[in-house]
Structures are given as structure tokens and as C-alpha cells.
Amino acid sequence: PGGAEVLRGVPPRSALRRMQTPQGFRLGVIRRAYRLALADPDLAATDDCGVVLRYLPEEEVRIVPGDESNIKVTNPGDVEIAEMLMRVRGGAAADARGDRGRRQEARR
């Protein structure tokens, strides 16, 4: 009804990963991958990892830990969220600097 998708199964959670941007590659690798991708009339890429995996399957793509506050700013509402995160982080950093300064004064 109304174009809703129908769920037919749930993959095991151990097989799932949530990814973040930015995705980083050595310049030579990403250039080669896109050179091949742009020559492919059937190119259907959604991100850099997909391009490297498809066009340079011999290249190793690694997953590294991320951070929940590393958000992608795409829509106007994302700017507000990013600003709030920066205020919170800035306040925490200022608090840490203040605590450190107070500890140094106490040692004198």
C-alpha cells in the first residue's frame, strides 16, 4: 500500500556494517579506479568504496572504527546538527582545558 517496501527476511546482524564518509584512498588508487569506472558505460556507483571494489578488486579495502559524531552534512537540517555537535565538543574541550589549568594551579 502506498509504495511501501515489503520485508521478506532479515540478514544476520553479524553480516551487516554501517559505513561513514569520508572514505579515504591513496590518490593513485582512486584515480585508477575512476579512470576505469568513467570508461564503463554501465557505471552505477554510489560511493568510492564501491568503485574501488568493482574496478580494482585486487585492492584491499579496510574498515576502520568511526565516530557517531562524524556526520555527513547534506541537507539544511544537517547544518544545525553539526553546529550543535561542535558546540558540545567545544564546550567539552573548554571544560577539559579549564580542569587542566586548575590542576596546574593547585600544584604550584
Side-chain angles (χ1 to χ4, degrees), residues 3-86:
E5 293 183 49
V6 176
L7 185 65
R8 303 241 184 255
V10 178
R13 288 182 184 239
S14 63
L16 301 177
R17 299 287 183 272
R18 186 167 52 145
M19 303 298 176
Q20 291 181 300
T21 56
Q23 299 167 358
F25 292 91
R26 293 191 184 280
L27 183 58
V29 170
I30 201 72
R31 278 187 175 164
R32 276 186 309 155
Y34 272 99
R35 196 174 305 121
L36 294 167
L38 293 173
D40 181 355
D42 297 322
L43 171 63
T46 58
D47 63 9
D48 293 340
C49 282
V51 171
V52 172
L53 288 169
R54 179 171 178 181
Y55 296 98
L56 297 177
E58 71 282 1
E59 287 294 332
E60 197 172 73
V61 175
R62 296 181 183 194
I63 298 172
V64 297
D67 185 317
E68 291 294 325
S69 65
N70 179 17
I71 66 166
K72 184 175 181 179
V73 178
T74 305
N75 301 303
D78 299 338
V79 173
E80 291 176 36
I81 294 168
E83 288 173 342
M84 187 232 7
L85 287 168
M86 287 189 290

